Amino acid sequence: MSIITIDLRKRQLIYEQIVENVKLQIIRGVLCENDYMPSVRSLANELGINPNTIQKAYAELERQGIIQSVAGKGSIIVANAAVVNSMQNDHVTEQIRQIAKIVLEAGFDLEQFCDAAKSVFSCKEDENDRDKKYN
């Protein structure tokens, strides 16, 4: 099973989905610095998409400093902790931006948004406490 997934129903271009997916896998620690990426051909076969799409995604990842092509060996992840941290911050900020847009469209104000966020964190802390208690 591939660590990279795509959703053909999304409006986002496939190569952009691959780029975002690789970044997310780095953030999650699934892919790490010095790991080799699957070859263009093998990933294209696995995902059932055109190799040119994979090549375009890899070119974008290389442009962003996430991977580097190594002659005769393929592409290797070169993102260090600072790059991953920056990606993590960008990812979280974008998610918050999207949630804030939904909240604003629903007519909530900042205080209601903060209250809702606090209740989510409170529930998560309660779950963690329960897990610690029973483990």
Side-chain angles (χ1 to χ4, degrees):
M1 175 161 188
S2 179
I3 57 173
I4 297 172
T5 59
I6 56 170
D7 183 350
L8 297 175
R9 295 171 293 176
K10 273 187 168 180
R11 294 189 120 176
Q12 185 181 28
L13 297 173
I14 293 173
Y15 90 92
E16 291 174 344
Q17 289 184 49
I18 294 167
V19 169
E20 291 305 313
N21 206 286
V22 168
K23 288 177 168 182
L24 190 58
Q25 298 305 335
I26 292 170
I27 290 168
R28 291 179 175 159
V30 175
L31 295 173
C32 301
E33 191 172 7
N34 298 320
D35 284 352
Y36 278 92
M37 294 293 295
S39 72
V40 169
R41 185 178 301 138
S42 69
L43 188 56
N45 285 336
E46 191 173 323
L47 297 176
I49 58 176
N50 190 309
N52 292 335
T53 303
I54 304 295
Q55 187 60 48
K56 188 172 183 176
Y58 280 19
E60 179 59 22
L61 287 163
E62 190 161 3
R63 187 192 69 73
Q64 292 181 21
I66 311 280
I67 65 172
Q68 182 177 15
S69 295
V70 179
K73 295 197 180 241
S75 297
I76 189 169
I77 296 173
V78 293
N80 59 32
V83 172
V84 172
N85 212 8
S86 175
M87 288 188 304
Q88 214 169 10
N89 289 338
D90 291 348
H91 178 73
V92 169
T93 300
E94 180 56 33
Q95 295 299 313
I96 291 170
R97 187 174 287 119
Q98 290 175 13
I99 292 167
K101 182 180 176 187
I102 292 167
V103 169
L104 288 170
E105 288 172 354
F108 282 57
D109 61 20
L110 180 59
E111 186 176 338
Q112 290 170 306
F113 174 74
C114 290
D115 288 344
K118 286 176 187 174
S119 72
V120 170
F121 275 96
S122 180
C123 289
K124 187 65 178 165
E125 288 172 0
D126 291 345
E127 285 176 18
N128 290 341
D129 289 344
R130 252 191 327 271
D131 290 344
K132 288 177 188 172
K133 184 178 177 180
Y134 294 110
N135 286 333

